[in-house]
Every structure is written in C-alpha cells, then in structure tokens.
Amino acid sequence: MINKQCSSFSDVIRTGIEDKFSYTISDSCVMCGKCAEECPVNAIAKGCAKYEIDPQKCMDCGFCSAVCPVGAVLPAAGMRESIPIQDMEMSRCYFNPGCALSLYKPKVPKQMLRLLRENFGNIKLHDICCRNDPCLETGAVIINNCAGCDRRFRSLYEGIRTISYWEVIDGIVGLKLPDYTGLTVSVHDSCGYRHRPQVHRAVRSILKKMHIEIAEAGFSGTKSICCGDNLYGAVPNEQVKKRIQMRADQFPCRDVVVYCIGCVRSMKEGGRIPHYLPDLLFGHDTEPMPDTLDEYHSKLMHYIALHGADSPGLSRI
C-alpha cells in the first residue's frame, strides 16, 4: 500500500514501516573523521573517497552535522507534507495530544482541545498511543502535538493523514494570544519534525504573534539536531547527558522554546530555561521536570503500555 502523503519526497512512504530518515555525507567530505568520532551508534565508517553513513544504523540525531567542518553532512533530502487545512473533513478530525504531554501535564490536552473546538471545529479527542492501531476510519486526520506521533500515525497505518496542532492554530484568524513582549528566545525544533518545515514556520509565526523575539540557533528548522533524549537506550546514560549538554550549548539564548516534553527535560538539564509551547499558549509557566533519564522513560513506557486500543477509558469522542 502507498501512502500518498509524500509527493515532495523522492521515496514513497510505505505503510506499515515507520517513516525514518538518515543523514548522508556529500562529496565535499575532507576525510577528517570528526563525524565518525561523534556518532553515538558507530554508523559512520571511512570509505574510499569519503566517510559513509550506514542508513540502517543511523538514528537521525544529526550530531555528525554539527561537528563537520565543511558542512558535508546533511539530513536526507525532501520533505513530508501535511494535509491542507481546507481538505480536512471535520467529522473525521481527531486531536491526539501524545503520551508524554498527557502524562506530565494532564490538564493541558483538555485546554488544547477546547481551544480547537471553540475556534476551529468540533474536533474529537483521540488518545490511543501511536504505537497501537488507532482504530480510525480511512480518511481520518490526526491533529498531533508530538513529532513522534506524527511520524508513526502517518506511516504505520493505512488511510491516516496528519497535521500539527501548530499549523492549525496558526491558521485561525484573529485568535487571541498572550503577550510576551520583552521575551527573546531561541527555538529548538523537534527532530521528528525536521522534514516538515511548515511546522517550523507555524511555530515561529505563533511566537511572533505573541510578540516574542527569536534569536535563531545555527542548527534549527530542517537542520535541527536531536536534544539528546532520543539516544536513550542506545548508548549509556552518560553519553546521552553529554549530547544533551552539547545541544543545549548551541543556543544563543538562555530561554529556549520547545514543543516536545522530552526536550523540556533535556533543555533544563543542559542549563537552559525551557518554555514549552503549549504552556506559552495558555499563559502557564513551564515547570522543571524532576525526573532522571531513567525515571522519565520508565514512567513514559508504563503510560504507553496502558494506552493501547483495548485499554479501558480511552476516548475517540
């Protein structure tokens, strides 16, 4: 089966296979080997004329691109489209806030859904984890808050299309937003949204509507790299912490806007002041997350296990 949500990318999305990407090294490689030294999963090896990345091992974290002195390391070309807002059928639209947000900020998903219903349409809540069959009809649209959910829902399941919450919110004309005049931030773009520049644009548009100044980091948007959290379980925790610090140190501002719960934890650990975008939307402070890496992932996996299609109390209404 071919998922048609891929017209701007050379490879099709094969339904049932998670739509993951890898980095590549161009012919401008100077063979310095810094990328191989930095790769946390040993996916890079010296080739005949340049270093080469094994796409099966690559975690798409992007740290290799941050250390390349000549810019030879690049994310895979191409983008993934969102369903156009005008093509969305309201009767088939669902909001899925994601497991991490639902676990750590259980009141916020309700606020996000209420905002959609009051200003966009009668959107239904969907809180089945993206790792399970969403049990939705063909043609359903999931408005998502999580980059991982976006990737899995649009590629693992037949007939599901996606759009980020932030694209929808940015498209609501005249929506009243909080005023943060005087706040200057950098933006950490979720690595799972790296191939969706429309999300990056929407996030920045919303921040500007809130009168927030933006000082961009060198690696942002389609060149953003992982906050370090995705490396958990693949490398020792000390290496994860090293990558978290490396990413945090790249931002010119102490205040960093993020739109992923894992990134909130990482930016705080890296010494930055994270501002979670849903918190900004509703005038909340972003509380520091006290959990260690192990505690955070243990709680999250337990929550995910309880949110399968057959779990009691889940909603698609």
Side-chain angles (χ1 to χ4, degrees):
M1 296 289 187
I2 300 299
N3 185 326
K4 298 301 183 181
Q5 192 180 343
C6 55
S7 59
S8 62
F9 189 64
S10 58
D11 292 332
V12 297
I13 299 176
R14 293 174 291 173
T15 303
I17 300 174
E18 190 168 336
D19 188 35
K20 294 186 177 180
F21 298 86
S22 63
Y23 274 69
T24 59
I25 299 178
S26 72
D27 292 338
S28 60
C29 172
V30 294
M31 301 286 282
C32 69
K34 290 184 178 180
C35 57
E37 294 173 6
E38 198 62 42
C39 181
V41 291
N42 299 315
I44 307 177
K46 189 175 183 179
C48 295
K50 62 180 182 179
Y51 274 78
E52 298 176 349
I53 298 177
D54 182 343
Q56 301 303 314
K57 292 183 179 179
C58 179
M59 295 185 67
D60 194 30
C61 68
F63 285 104
C64 52
S65 66
V67 299
C68 178
V70 295
V73 186
L74 304 168
M79 302 297 143
R80 293 299 192 228
E81 298 171 351
S82 302
I83 182 173
I85 290 178
Q86 64 269 21
D87 292 349
M88 297 167 63
E89 295 182 33
M90 207 60 62
S91 63
R92 296 183 178 184
C93 287
Y94 302 84
F95 170 57
N96 191 303
C99 290
L101 173 58
S102 299
L103 172 62
Y104 280 92
K105 293 177 175 287
K107 295 181 180 180
V108 174
K110 296 176 183 178
Q111 291 180 293
M112 295 174 77
L113 180 61
R114 187 183 307 119
L115 187 64
L116 285 175
R117 287 177 171 175
E118 291 175 352
N119 297 277
F120 185 66
N122 189 27
I123 307 300
K124 294 171 281 293
L125 177 66
H126 181 273
D127 52 7
I128 295 175
C129 176
C130 60
R131 292 167 174 81
N132 299 290
D133 185 340
C135 300
L136 294 175
E137 69 275 19
T138 297
V141 175
I142 291 183
I143 301 171
N144 60 82
N145 167 68
C146 167
C149 293
D150 180 89
R151 183 177 65 241
R152 284 183 282 272
F153 278 129
R154 66 181 157 82
S155 61
L156 292 181
Y157 310 105
E158 181 70 27
I160 304 296
R161 300 191 71 179
T162 62
I163 187 170
S164 76
Y165 185 84
W166 308 112
E167 293 168 84
V168 176
I169 292 301
D170 186 46
I172 299 173
V173 178
L175 181 65
K176 187 175 181 179
L177 298 169
D179 188 333
Y180 293 98
T181 298
L183 178 61
T184 300
V185 304
S186 295
V187 181
H188 170 63
D189 295 293
S190 303
C191 52
Y193 279 134
R194 185 183 295 124
H195 296 273
R196 288 167 90 73
Q198 64 271 33
V199 180
H200 311 150
R201 291 192 295 269
V203 167
R204 285 155 176 78
S205 175
I206 292 168
L207 293 178
K208 290 178 181 177
K209 290 175 183 177
M210 295 178 179
H211 305 112
I212 297 174
E213 297 293 326
I214 302 171
E216 294 285 10
F219 292 91
S220 62
T222 58
K223 294 183 179 179
S224 182
I225 67 174
C226 178
C227 70
D229 185 74
N230 277 352
L231 276 62
Y232 179 81
V235 300
N237 282 1
E238 288 307 311
Q239 288 193 38
V240 177
K241 293 177 181 179
K242 175 185 174 183
R243 302 312 168 108
I244 287 173
Q245 191 63 61
M246 176 182 174
R247 178 54 172 155
D249 289 344
Q250 292 176 336
F251 294 102
C253 289
R254 189 181 179 193
D255 294 271
V256 179
V257 168
V258 299
Y259 39 109
C260 165
I261 287 286
C263 298
V264 172
R265 209 206 70 81
S266 294
M267 288 299 105
K268 178 63 178 177
E269 182 165 318
R272 301 291 165 172
I273 300 174
H275 297 269
Y276 187 46
L277 190 52
D279 286 333
L280 289 173
L281 187 63
F282 298 108
H284 301 164
D285 292 331
T286 297
E287 308 89 350
M289 293 175 62
D291 294 340
T292 65
L293 271 169
D294 289 331
E295 290 169 341
Y296 169 69
H297 285 276
S298 177
K299 288 181 180 179
L300 187 58
M301 294 311 296
H302 179 68
Y303 189 92
I304 289 170
L306 295 177
H307 284 69
D310 299 326
S311 300
L314 297 192
S315 175
R316 283 173 287 147
I317 59 175

